[in-house]
Amino acid sequence: VGAKDAERVIVAMGSVTDTITETINALVKKGEKVGLIKVYLYRPFSQKYLEAVLPSTVKTVAVLDRAKEVGAREPLFLDVSYALRKHNLTIIGGRYGLSSKDTNPSDINGVYEEMKKSEPKEEFTIGIDDDVTHLSLEPVDIHVDADYTSCLFYGLGSDGTVGANKSTVKIIGNNTDLYSQAYFAYDSKKAGGITRSHLRFGPTPIHSPYYINKADFISCSQPSYAFKYDMVRDLKEGGTFLLNTTVSADEVESKMPNRMLKGLADKHAKFYVIDATKLARATHMGSHTNTILQSAFFALNPQIMPYEKSLKLMKDSARTTYARKGEEVVNNNIAAIDKGSEGLVEVTVKPEWSKLTVKSALYEMTGDDHYDNYVQKINALEGNDMKVSEFVKDNIIDGSMPENVSFKEKRNIASYVPEWNADKCIECGQCAFACPHATIRPFLMTEEECTKASAIAKDNGFELTYKDPTPAYKGAKEAGLKFRIQLATENCVGCGVCMTVCPVGDGTKENPRALTAKPIATQMKQEPVADYLYKETPAKPQYGMANTVMGVSLERPYFEVSGCCPGCGEAPYYRLASQMFGKDMMVANATGCSMIYCSGTPSNPFSIDENGEGVAWANSLFEDNAEYGFGMAIAQSAKEARILRIMEDNMDKVEPDLKNAFQSYIAANDDREKQRAVKDAIMKGVKASKVEAVKPLAEMERDLVSKSVWIIGGDGWSYDIGYGGLDHVMANNLDVNVLVLDTETYSNTGGQASKSTNTSAIAKFAAGGKPTAKKDLGQIFMEYGTAYVASVSMGANQMQTIKAFKEAESYKGPSLVIAYCPCQEHGILGGLINMPTRQKLAVACGYTSLYRFDPRLDKPLQIDSTKTPDWDKYNEFLMQEARYFNLPRIKGQEEADKMFAKAKKDAQTRLSKLLAKEALQNETK
Ligand SMILES: Cc1ncc(C[n+]2csc(CCOP(=O)(O)OP(=O)(O)O)c2C)c(N)n1
Ligand code: SF4
Ligand code: SF4
Ligand code: SF4
């Protein structure tokens, strides 16, 4: 491709060759002698064909690899260099796509510019700004001709923006002669994160395999984004910006940020506002603004398709998409489509806005360098502009991440959040126990703490309410403490789970719960109080009875505000484990949702306390997680053995105080609290000791308290891909705890079937419902007889969950806890606000059973759920989840009924096997 007499030629393969072609077309027009050799068949590598297409005029060749070979050069570069070794050429090689970054025409132009030099960089990178090795080339701006319309849509994860854009692409693709292209970019939050849809439409084939950075049209579905992101930055001169906002056209000038106003004026843009949130409510669409905004998009882009035509097509599409949800839903969508153009209001962009002053950062600086210049920058979508040096400071070059960050992020994504009513609350702690995000917590407060919190509240214009602690918090009232439930307003994601579990009232107006949903704006004043209580007051679990819901809820969560979906069924188990063992937990986490919500750049949900203690967490691969945790446990036990050996060998040589401390430590016999109690004395004694042989202990302070090793992952990991390793670990005798977060599907990758998927459930790779039964992982590992095994479902029996966690952890061998987790992928009617009630009904109807198998006991198996479930409710349970209720549409009612009957039979067989195991142990012991 390119000039016949090309002197500068790039060799590359894959989609980047389209970008290079676009660049070449622009350069050749300007008379530049540039070209491209595309590699279609990489192996076997053909020197003959390469030489055949190499122009005789070529002087410099640049080979581009989307690969990073540490310590060596990249594969295509090596092949080309070898093949052309006898030609008298300058051959250079570069890497692109590093950090999954885009490669656009200016990056490629940068390569051609470099090739002009008499001594170009022999090894280089593009797409990054590498101020550490200085290997990166500067992009050189270039205009490429394009006859397409570029559109960029900002949305909130799962608010329907991406779905609406997919529908738009289908409508345009199926009903016009236009070509379409769509790329969807997501951040690292499971839901409630930001989505950006990059759509191009044009009359000729589109060869631009990179994100849009100069858009003709930008739309934003989230009012708050106007203040968080610089969306106008990517708008073309004269482009159009559409914002969903409650701010009216008249108020725009006074209420919108200067950055946006100036950007619009500088670009001579057209600006439209629409109150899609209000229109959605008026058309009974709830919070779904996507249909209205889709219609507004068509109204503002008649060059793509006349609006009348798009109206008809959108309505046809709504009829097909929502037919199965009933006539009402279809009609609501049709009404919403009509509102799209009606609600649009054009705002006059004033030229004088160009003179407005703009603050340099989009966010408030906190003074914490890592938080301000790394976390906030990435959250403000400025990560792509960061230089390499910014990723190597703060000790994060090895992939480690500082803790205590997620609480500070205050993502503020809820519309409604719970408000606590002190008069009604019975102080049960259930709200905190169920919250996946650890954003509602009970506090027992001293008089001093009450005074401070009340003063903060007063400063924010309200009065704080407290209650006397109930007698169940033993000694709390006598100690003069007060009880309060505190919401962390801006971190709460509004999932509603806490309101679902609150046992007071029935949620009606007449008989409300102790927590009621209120617009977030009414609760913002609570935030400073939350900051004080969550971050500056110590937890007081000593007043709660250990191993009870109330007791655990008083414990500090070392896992808070993760990036999981609002109402996720997995996260409460993680939070619970962190409350019970977090100070000493060491986690090997499999790839899956938990890996994403535990480590999505730029933050993680783990916190450390005032003593620097908290969860140590790491992720290896999907396929070796059990072995990874096993290795951690082996390393840890070797360290512990070394500590004991040093103490025993030197017992009679050390000073008397240190001897006493050693003796106490050995007597602690792995009791972590006793070890913790003597740790300081050991460290002090070791430092002062004259015995050199004990000095290595000074380096082992953090290992003096033994570790609780956890291996955590989903069913895709444990039942399928990591099963071989898990089996090996469970068959050994090492003290590890395995937590299976069982969503019965590969949730992170969009719901593929795993061996845990239930009979008849629809999943990817099981589109007609899974024909075979769910694998019984618990039965398999109970067969070893030497492993602790439990099955739990938190919303069904909280105490049983606590008991299982406690027993699993205390068992000095392999333990496995299988936790039933409702998930976004299940398509639960009413959404994940029902997560705890799904867990309850799953047990009541026999869908799953609760048990604990403890090899320490004479009769190891204890069945904790009913042995006579209400099987009549089994089908009712299935019909509340889309993964089941859509089956008749796919298979026909008769076939679906047969599959549902088999699902129930399989569940009955499963329970029978459990009962038989119990009967057998009763007979034989
Ligand atoms: C060997 C391998 N195959 C596939 C993937 C892609 N992948 C990442 S997460 C995931 C799904 C994980 O499912 P599960 O273990 O059930 O955890 P969940 O997401 O449900 O929590 C897959 C398939 C991978 N990372 N590694
Ligand atoms: S609404 Fe959800 S996130 Fe907010 S406090 Fe309640 S349970 Fe937690
Ligand atoms: S669940 Fe309801 S009653 Fe229980 S502590 Fe929370 S607010 Fe109070
Ligand atoms: S497990 Fe399901 S609900 Fe939880 S984060 Fe993953 S997809 Fe979301």
Side-chain angles (χ1 to χ4, degrees):
V1 181
K4 291 270 171 290
D5 55 350
E7 293 175 357
R8 288 167 284 144
V9 169
I10 291 180
V11 182
M13 56 185 164
S15 62
V16 75
T17 57
D18 272 355
T19 314
I20 302 172
T21 306
E22 262 193 344
T23 316
I24 287 177
N25 291 342
L27 290 175
V28 168
K29 260 193 203 161
K30 289 201 276 176
E32 303 234 15
K33 294 182 178 175
V34 292
L36 160 71
I37 296 176
K38 292 188 195 181
V39 179
Y40 286 108
L41 177 69
Y42 180 43
R43 284 285 183 269
F45 192 82
S46 169
Q47 181 170 343
K48 186 172 122 194
Y49 287 107
L50 177 64
E51 286 179 329
V53 292
L54 193 71
S56 56
T57 45
V58 66
K59 291 183 180 148
T60 309
V61 171
V63 187
L64 296 187
D65 276 90
R66 189 168 183 146
K68 184 176 163 194
E69 287 289 336
V70 178
R73 296 300 300 272
E74 289 65 38
L76 186 60
F77 171 77
L78 290 178
D79 289 337
V80 172
S81 302
Y82 182 75
L84 302 182
R85 68 194 179 284
K86 294 193 178 135
H87 298 252
N88 188 18
L89 295 174
T90 303
I91 304 177
I92 61 176
R95 300 166 178 166
Y96 68 99
L98 293 165
S99 283
S100 296
K101 285 182 82 171
D102 244 6
T103 305
N104 55 44
S106 352
D107 296 317
I108 299 299
N109 195 23
V111 177
Y112 283 122
E113 283 296 313
E114 184 69 14
M115 290 161 86
K116 277 184 184 163
K117 295 181 183 164
S118 55
E119 283 188 33
K121 276 184 183 155
E122 200 262 290
E123 185 178 1
F124 63 87
T125 53
I126 53 174
I128 58 173
D129 186 351
D130 186 353
D131 57 341
V132 174
T133 67
H134 302 285
L135 285 178
S136 59
L137 302 184
E138 283 278 326
V140 178
D141 218 11
I142 184 168
H143 171 79
V144 295
D145 287 337
D147 56 2
Y148 49 70
T149 306
S150 315
C151 310
L152 183 51
F153 299 81
Y154 284 77
L156 179 78
S158 56
D159 77 348
T161 303
V162 168
N165 287 324
K166 286 183 178 167
S167 143
T168 299
V169 168
K170 262 196 218 157
I171 288 176
I172 294 172
N174 292 343
N175 298 287
T176 68
D177 292 335
L178 295 179
Y179 291 85
S180 325
Q181 183 203 56
Y183 286 120
F184 299 97
Y186 306 91
D187 69 3
S188 58
K189 304 287 189 282
K190 293 298 303 178
I194 183 167
T195 62
R196 276 163 294 165
S197 312
H198 299 251
L199 269 52
R200 291 182 174 101
F201 306 102
T204 55
I206 299 165
H207 296 291
S208 306
Y210 47 87
Y211 292 136
I212 292 166
N213 57 16
K214 289 187 183 97
D216 297 287
F217 175 85
I218 296 182
S219 161
C220 170
S221 71
Q222 292 300 312
S224 64
Y225 286 3
F227 304 91
K228 287 187 184 171
Y229 309 119
D230 185 4
M231 292 179 285
V232 178
R233 168 177 140 158
D234 291 334
L235 195 64
K236 262 188 199 163
E237 170 72 23
T240 302
F241 180 50
L242 167 66
L243 178 67
N244 170 27
T245 177
T246 50
V247 173
S248 71
D250 297 341
E251 298 170 320
V252 159
E253 188 162 10
S254 59
K255 295 204 169 159
M256 284 297 157
N258 281 3
R259 183 186 303 271
M260 178 192 289
L261 301 178
K262 179 170 164 43
L264 289 165
D266 287 350
K267 296 198 167 164
H268 306 101
K270 290 200 186 72
F271 182 28
Y272 292 84
V273 288
I274 185 168
D275 190 347
T277 315
K278 190 166 143 201
L279 294 172
R281 250 182 269 130
T283 48
H284 309 289
M285 294 285 290
S287 56
H288 297 116
T289 54
N290 51 336
T291 311
I292 294 161
L293 290 168
Q294 182 187 23
S295 174
F297 156 75
F298 275 112
L300 292 174
N301 287 282
Q303 80 285 7
I304 294 177
M305 181 188 288
Y307 186 54
E308 285 308 314
K309 182 173 174 189
S310 69
L311 270 182
K312 182 185 169 310
L313 293 170
M314 277 186 286
K315 288 176 186 176
D316 288 349
S317 162
R319 280 187 199 99
T320 341
T321 313
Y322 301 111
R324 69 190 160 84
K325 294 198 171 170
E327 205 174 324
E328 199 185 331
V329 176
V330 171
N331 290 339
N332 292 344
N333 272 277
I334 287 177
I337 289 167
D338 284 328
K339 292 283 174 205
S341 64
E342 286 171 30
L344 281 172
V345 183
E346 181 162 9
V347 181
T348 312
V349 174
K350 298 186 182 165
E352 62 261 34
W353 290 350
S354 276
K355 298 198 188 87
L356 290 171
T357 48
V358 174
K359 274 196 304 183
S360 58
L362 273 163
Y363 37 83
E364 293 300 325
M365 293 296 185
T366 64
D368 172 342
D369 183 57
H370 176 75
Y371 187 69
D372 290 340
N373 296 316
Y374 183 84
V375 180
Q376 297 218 77
K377 231 181 203 176
I378 293 173
N379 283 339
L381 302 179
E382 291 178 346
N384 274 340
D385 305 336
M386 287 166 69
K387 295 178 195 291
V388 171
S389 62
E390 296 178 72
F391 294 88
V392 301
K393 52 182 197 167
D394 302 326
N395 290 329
I396 55 171
I397 192 167
D398 60 356
S400 58
M401 299 171 90
E403 56 295 300
N404 286 352
V405 172
S406 61
F407 193 86
K408 286 192 204 163
E409 285 181 296
K410 301 185 189 296
R411 290 166 60 212
N412 214 330
I413 58 168
S415 307
Y416 287 84
V417 297
E419 182 182 68
W420 180 58
N421 182 336
D423 293 339
K424 289 197 146 274
C425 177
I426 56 167
E427 304 181 19
C428 65
Q430 301 220 31
C431 46
F433 196 80
C435 175
H437 308 274
T439 48
I440 191 161
R441 283 176 57 188
F443 288 90
L444 289 171
M445 300 162 66
T446 62
E447 199 180 328
E448 196 188 333
E449 288 165 350
C450 289
T451 309
K452 185 137 190 224
S454 292
I456 296 172
K458 205 165 167 209
D459 285 348
N460 285 278
F462 74 109
E463 206 164 299
L464 220 52
T465 44
Y466 307 97
K467 287 183 80 103
D468 280 336
T470 71
Y473 295 111
K474 282 218 177 337
K477 189 167 175 205
E478 295 70 16
L481 301 181
K482 294 283 180 197
F483 178 92
R484 173 170 173 78
I485 291 284
Q486 183 62 51
L487 176 80
T489 318
E490 292 189 69
N491 280 320
C492 163
V493 296
C495 68
V497 162
C498 54
M499 295 179 259
T500 303
V501 296
C502 180
V504 177
D506 57 13
T508 58
K509 248 196 187 134
E510 301 70 43
N511 191 10
R513 300 197 190 283
L515 296 169
T516 42
K518 289 284 152 76
I520 189 165
T522 65
Q523 305 301 305
M524 290 296 274
K525 58 191 180 202
Q526 298 272 344
E527 191 62 20
V529 180
D531 282 345
Y532 168 62
L533 290 183
Y534 279 63
K535 293 296 158 193
E536 290 180 46
T537 61
K540 301 180 185 68
Q542 63 274 29
Y543 295 102
M545 217 192 305
N547 307 320
T548 62
V549 172
M550 291 165 88
V552 170
S553 296
L554 286 179
E555 294 278 0
R556 175 198 171 111
Y558 288 89
F559 169 95
E560 58 186 10
V561 207
S562 81
C564 67
C565 300
C568 168
E570 291 190 357
Y573 295 106
Y574 231 117
R575 195 219 59 240
L576 174 64
S578 89
Q579 286 172 295
M580 294 177 73
F581 320 111
K583 272 193 274 200
D584 306 311
M585 260 177 117
M586 198 177 218
V587 180
N589 201 114
T591 304
C593 278
S594 50
M595 182 269 272
I596 302 296
Y597 61 68
C598 285
S599 68
T601 299
S603 70
N604 70 76
F606 298 108
S607 65
I608 52 170
D609 59 23
E610 52 289 355
N611 301 317
E613 292 180 310
V615 179
W617 185 97
N619 159 250
S620 175
L621 298 170
F622 204 28
E623 54 274 33
D624 71 357
N625 186 49
E627 296 93 318
Y628 186 45
F630 193 72
M632 285 183 182
I634 289 180
Q636 214 46 44
S637 59
K639 284 182 185 174
E640 285 162 19
R642 184 170 176 225
I643 289 171
L644 289 177
R645 209 169 47 241
I646 293 174
M647 289 184 180
E648 279 158 1
D649 289 353
N650 297 288
M651 190 65 81
D652 294 327
K653 300 177 195 148
V654 294
E655 297 74 8
D657 282 355
L658 188 54
K659 181 174 180 172
N660 275 342
F662 281 177
Q663 279 170 339
S664 306
Y665 185 85
I666 292 166
N669 195 20
D670 277 353
D671 179 323
R672 291 195 295 267
E673 284 318 313
K674 288 185 182 160
Q675 290 174 333
R676 187 171 273 112
V678 73
K679 192 177 89 167
D680 286 350
I682 293 173
M683 290 316 292
K684 196 168 155 216
V686 165
K687 273 179 200 145
S689 180
K690 295 209 160 59
V691 182
E692 275 308 306
V694 298
K695 294 291 181 191
L697 290 177
E699 303 294 311
M700 301 180 78
E701 181 175 2
R702 66 179 195 175
D703 299 308
L704 282 175
V705 179
S706 57
K707 300 288 169 278
S708 176
V709 177
W710 286 77
I711 298 172
I712 302 182
D715 48 284
W717 158 66
S718 53
Y719 285 68
D720 292 358
I721 297 179
Y723 175 72
L726 179 62
D727 178 59
H728 180 68
V729 170
M730 293 305 294
N732 268 281
N733 243 348
L734 207 63
D735 184 8
V736 292
N737 311 290
V738 180
L739 174 60
V740 173
L741 300 166
D742 193 352
T743 57
E744 302 189 329
T745 182
Y746 288 64
S747 302
N748 189 45
T749 37
Q752 295 78 12
S754 77
K755 285 186 204 76
S756 170
T757 304
N758 196 31
T759 318
S760 80
I762 299 168
K764 288 179 186 147
F765 304 130
K770 183 160 168 272
T772 50
K774 177 181 167 100
K775 171 173 168 179
D776 199 335
L777 198 66
Q779 279 283 3
I780 292 172
F781 290 127
M782 279 192 277
E783 281 307 298
Y784 283 128
T786 49
Y788 178 92
V789 180
S791 163
V792 304
S793 180
M794 189 184 270
N797 190 335
Q798 297 146 324
M799 285 300 289
Q800 191 260 357
T801 306
I802 297 175
K803 246 190 233 167
F805 273 48
K806 174 112 180 99
E807 290 170 0
E809 209 277 336
S810 67
Y811 181 63
K812 299 268 170 248
S815 306
L816 174 81
V817 179
I818 305 168
Y820 181 63
C821 305
C823 164
Q824 175 99 334
E825 291 296 327
H826 295 175
I828 295 166
L829 281 183
L832 280 170
I833 188 172
N834 295 320
M835 179 264 284
T837 42
R838 299 305 295 156
Q839 288 176 322
K840 197 170 181 172
L841 189 56
V843 172
C845 76
Y847 186 89
T848 187
S849 303
L850 309 182
Y851 59 85
R852 289 167 295 131
F853 180 93
D854 190 339
R856 287 168 290 201
L857 304 178
D858 279 348
K859 293 179 181 172
L861 178 62
Q862 301 159 82
I863 299 176
D864 297 316
S865 53
T866 174
K867 293 173 189 174
T868 54
D870 188 347
W871 293 111
D872 289 344
K873 290 218 166 90
Y874 190 90
N875 268 41
E876 191 185 306
F877 175 83
L878 299 189
M879 289 312 110
Q880 289 162 357
E881 297 189 357
R883 59 178 168 153
Y884 296 110
F885 68 61
N886 278 331
L887 191 63
R889 219 167 33 87
I890 295 164
K891 299 290 272 189
Q893 192 65 49
E894 200 179 327
E895 185 58 26
D897 284 344
K898 273 193 210 152
M899 292 183 80
F900 294 147
K902 178 175 184 310
K904 184 153 127 186
K905 186 92 197 47
D906 288 344
Q908 287 168 335
T909 308
R910 210 176 151 92
L911 178 58
S912 308
K913 283 188 189 159
L914 208 55
L915 294 171
K917 198 170 210 95
E918 186 191 50
L920 189 67
Q921 77 181 8
N922 289 346
E923 262 172 41
T924 52
K925 295 274 172 161

